[in-house]
Amino acid sequence: MSNFSVKLPDSLYKSLQELAKQDGISIDQFVATAVAEKIAALTTEIYLGELAKRGSREKYDAVLAKIPDILIRNFSSLRDMAFTLS
């Protein structure tokens, strides 16, 4: 494990204390989790961006062209759909 010091505005630190207490975890655990979540979000964004670069509009259009043009009923809930299907 590594240690580092962070300067936070008092209001942010107070929120950090309150949220960690609500979650029943230490401030260290809260910060470590927050950093892990941010890293996951950014690396996912980078991964999806790289994946998108490999995409092809032509291939996308070809896949969509295989879907039949039919009217699909808009169900407001799964319950509506279940009654309709039975």
Side-chain angles (χ1 to χ4, degrees):
M1 289 268 199
S2 298
N3 293 317
F4 72 99
S5 176
V6 177
K7 293 185 182 204
L8 297 173
D10 291 340
S11 61
L12 187 57
Y13 184 71
K14 184 176 179 181
S15 294
L16 172 60
Q17 287 176 310
E18 291 171 1
L19 290 170
K21 185 176 181 178
Q22 284 176 11
D23 280 356
I25 59 175
S26 69
I27 290 174
D28 287 351
Q29 288 174 308
F30 190 93
V31 170
T33 301
V35 170
E37 288 176 8
K38 184 64 174 184
I39 289 171
L42 292 175
T43 54
T44 299
E45 183 180 359
I46 292 167
Y47 169 76
L48 291 176
E50 292 299 319
L51 197 60
K53 288 179 187 175
R54 297 189 339 226
S56 159
R57 182 65 186 204
E58 292 78 24
K59 289 179 182 178
Y60 173 77
D61 289 337
V63 169
L64 285 183
K66 294 178 183 179
I67 300 172
D69 290 331
I70 59 171
L71 178 62
I72 298 175
R73 183 170 171 196
N74 184 12
F75 297 103
S76 60
S77 73
L78 290 176
R79 184 177 184 183
D80 293 342
M81 187 173 78
F83 287 127
T84 303
L85 295 176
S86 54

